[in-house]
């Protein structure tokens, strides 16, 4: 049954340009919170009920630390922006203590086997995730203009935490990237002849600031969907990026074909990128910058591999292909 209150929360977030995933996640936790308190309106609840809910997540649900933190962020947003009564900064609740998992890391040989057996349609994406340490959504959201061939780097805009960064690009990928851009241009030329086509989606106010940009090739996704679709917000016809679930499936299937006895996901390639850089002697601060971590403590999880010093960043994919 639809909830007018939750619909209002969703509309409020969408109007302020929150990412769709953030909207869905926050609405999920706010709904969970309301149901936990027997459908009482959040305006009737306060710090004590929030503490009770967060303690329940840690004690009965045994959620991970990050999961509990996400729930807290959702409730903080709710009370600050919707209820207009911010939560106390000194909430007293049982914090989740589930031990942090060590990252699953592939050996160089395993990466080579996986890339050799992956569906060719997704090979370049997998190479970028490993060779440049990209998260899955950072990779599928790349635009044509984000590839800097002159400086052999990739620009990541509004990554996790809404941060921008420049990461290394393996020069061996330049020919494949040029072919991919030609593929994008073929779609682009067909779309321009479609009177219903409104151009690619642009974030925030860029479409108003640069009205011609949605129909410029540089702004189009590097890995476009094979079909046009309707923008759920504007109802305009656009070409979105490739569906990320198909990439996840391709990575899983390639790992099975390679008979890799590890829980391999797209993020495993990012973990392997960081670990192999450290193995090659790159200092941890540089790896931190490449991964886009705010705190070096987050990067230190990869220091189970010995560091032997190092200067410049060279993509581990280069070492793999050169050998």
């Amino acid at each position: 049954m639809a909830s007018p209150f939750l619909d209002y929360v969703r509309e409020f977030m969408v109007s302020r340009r929150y990412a769709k995933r953030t909207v869905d996640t926050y609405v999920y936790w706010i709904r969970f919170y309301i149901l936990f308190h027997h459908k009482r309106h959040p305006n009737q609840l306060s710090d004590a009920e929030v503490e009770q809910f967060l303690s329940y997540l840690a004690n009965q649900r045994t959620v991970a630390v990050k999961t509990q933190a996400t729930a807290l962020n959702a409730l903080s947003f709710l009370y600050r922006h919707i209820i207009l009564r911010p939560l106390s900064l000194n909430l007293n609740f049982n914090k989740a203590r589930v031990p942090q998992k060590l990252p699953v890391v592939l050996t160089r040989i395993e990466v080579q086997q996986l890339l050799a057996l992956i569906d060719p349609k997704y090979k370049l994406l997998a190479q970028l995730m490993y060779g440049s340490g990209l998260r899955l959504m950072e990779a599928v959201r790349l635009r044509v203009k984000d590839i800097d061939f002159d400086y052999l780097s990739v620009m990541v805009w509004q990554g996790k935490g809404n941060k921008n960064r420049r990461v290394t690009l393996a020069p061996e990928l330049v020919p494949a990237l040029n072919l991919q851009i030609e593929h994008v241009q073929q779609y682009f030329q067909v779309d321009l002849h479609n009177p219903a086509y409104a151009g690619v989606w642009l974030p925030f106010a860029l479409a108003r600031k640069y009205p011609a940009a949605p129909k410029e090739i540089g702004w189009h996704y590097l890995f476009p969907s094979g079909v046009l679709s309707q923008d759920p917000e504007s109802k305009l016809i656009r070409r979105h990026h490739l569906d990320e679930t198909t990439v996840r499936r391709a990575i899983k299937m390639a790992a099975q074909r390679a008979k890799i006895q590890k829980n391999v996901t797209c993020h495993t390639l990012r973990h392997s990128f960081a670990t192999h850089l450290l193995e090659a002697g790159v200092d941890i601060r540089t790896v931190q910058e490449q991964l886009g971590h705010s705190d070096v403590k987050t990067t230190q999880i990869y220091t189970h591999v010995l560091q032997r010093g190092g200067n410049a960043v060279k993509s581990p994919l280069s070492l793999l292909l050169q050998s």
Side-chain angles (χ1 to χ4, degrees):
M1 183 175 178
S3 165
F5 177 74
L6 292 179
D7 288 343
Y8 171 75
V9 173
R10 183 179 294 277
E11 291 171 5
F12 181 93
M13 296 185 72
V14 169
S15 68
R16 282 153 181 79
R17 296 294 183 179
Y18 281 82
K20 184 179 183 300
R21 289 172 185 271
T22 304
V23 175
D24 292 340
T25 300
Y26 278 24
V27 170
Y28 168 84
W29 284 113
I30 293 170
R31 179 177 181 275
F32 195 166
Y33 172 67
I34 294 172
L35 292 175
F36 177 78
H37 287 294
H38 310 290
K39 298 185 179 180
R40 292 170 63 192
H41 195 283
N43 195 36
Q44 301 172 358
L45 309 172
S46 58
D47 291 0
E49 286 77 17
V50 172
E51 292 171 350
Q52 184 183 359
F53 177 66
L54 294 174
S55 295
Y56 161 78
L57 293 180
N59 298 336
Q60 276 71 51
R61 298 293 291 254
T62 61
V63 300
V65 176
K66 289 185 178 179
T67 302
Q68 189 187 46
T70 301
L72 175 57
N73 289 340
L75 298 181
S76 295
F77 168 86
L78 169 68
Y79 279 93
R80 178 177 295 277
H81 298 286
I82 306 297
I83 306 299
L84 303 180
R85 193 177 70 241
L87 296 173
S88 168
L89 296 177
N90 299 309
L91 291 176
N92 182 22
F93 59 92
N94 291 338
K95 293 182 172 59
R97 300 292 183 187
V98 179
Q100 187 176 25
K101 294 181 181 179
L102 287 175
V104 175
V105 177
L106 302 179
T107 65
R108 288 183 173 84
I109 291 177
E110 287 173 332
V111 174
Q112 192 171 34
Q113 292 171 337
L114 186 145
L115 293 178
L117 294 173
I118 195 170
D119 185 332
K121 181 179 178 181
Y122 305 102
K123 184 173 183 177
L124 180 56
L125 260 167
Q127 288 176 316
L128 282 170
M129 285 188 286
Y130 170 67
S132 300
L134 300 180
R135 299 178 178 91
L136 170 59
M137 294 310 300
E138 291 173 346
V140 298
R141 288 172 177 164
L142 286 175
R143 314 255 181 171
V144 171
K145 67 178 184 59
D146 295 336
I147 306 300
D148 190 334
F149 291 105
D150 294 325
Y151 288 94
L152 289 176
S153 58
V154 179
M155 297 301 299
V156 179
W157 302 99
Q158 284 84 49
K160 188 175 181 180
N162 203 32
K163 290 177 291 189
N164 304 326
R165 72 185 192 278
R166 182 186 291 269
V167 298
T168 187
L169 171 66
E172 291 79 8
L173 292 184
V174 169
L177 285 167
N178 281 322
L179 285 176
Q180 183 63 26
I181 292 174
E182 289 180 10
H183 175 66
V184 176
Q185 288 175 329
Q186 291 173 2
Y187 274 130
F188 179 66
Q189 293 301 324
V190 172
D191 291 341
L192 287 182
H193 288 86
N194 183 344
Y197 183 62
V200 72
W201 177 84
L202 291 186
F204 311 114
L206 283 176
R208 291 194 299 271
K209 187 175 182 180
Y210 305 109
K215 292 190 176 181
E216 292 177 358
I217 183 65
W219 284 99
H220 281 66
Y221 289 111
L222 184 62
F223 298 101
S225 168
V227 295
L228 294 173
S229 58
Q230 187 181 67
D231 187 323
E233 292 183 24
S234 65
K235 309 304 180 185
L236 297 174
I237 300 300
R238 303 188 187 280
R239 189 177 295 279
H240 202 49
H241 58 65
L242 195 68
D243 185 352
E244 64 274 14
T245 58
T246 62
V247 186
R248 292 194 184 99
R249 193 178 305 118
I251 293 292
K252 284 286 187 184
M253 292 179 64
Q256 291 172 4
R257 293 193 194 103
K259 295 181 170 57
I260 298 174
Q261 302 301 315
K262 297 176 182 177
N263 182 25
V264 180
T265 66
C266 293
H267 216 67
T268 302
L269 295 174
R270 177 174 159 88
H271 291 324
S272 302
F273 163 84
T275 303
H276 294 171
L277 280 182
L278 290 172
E279 282 183 334
V282 177
D283 67 274
I284 193 168
R285 292 286 183 181
T286 303
V287 177
Q288 174 194 354
E289 293 175 359
Q290 291 286 305
L291 294 174
H293 290 161
S294 299
D295 193 330
V296 73
K297 290 180 181 178
T298 309
T299 317
Q300 285 175 346
I301 195 171
Y302 301 108
T303 55
H304 58 285
V305 177
L306 292 178
Q307 300 179 45
R308 293 182 290 274
N311 297 316
V313 176
K314 187 170 185 180
S315 171
L317 186 66
S318 297
L319 299 174
L320 190 72
L321 297 179
Q322 289 171 3
S323 64

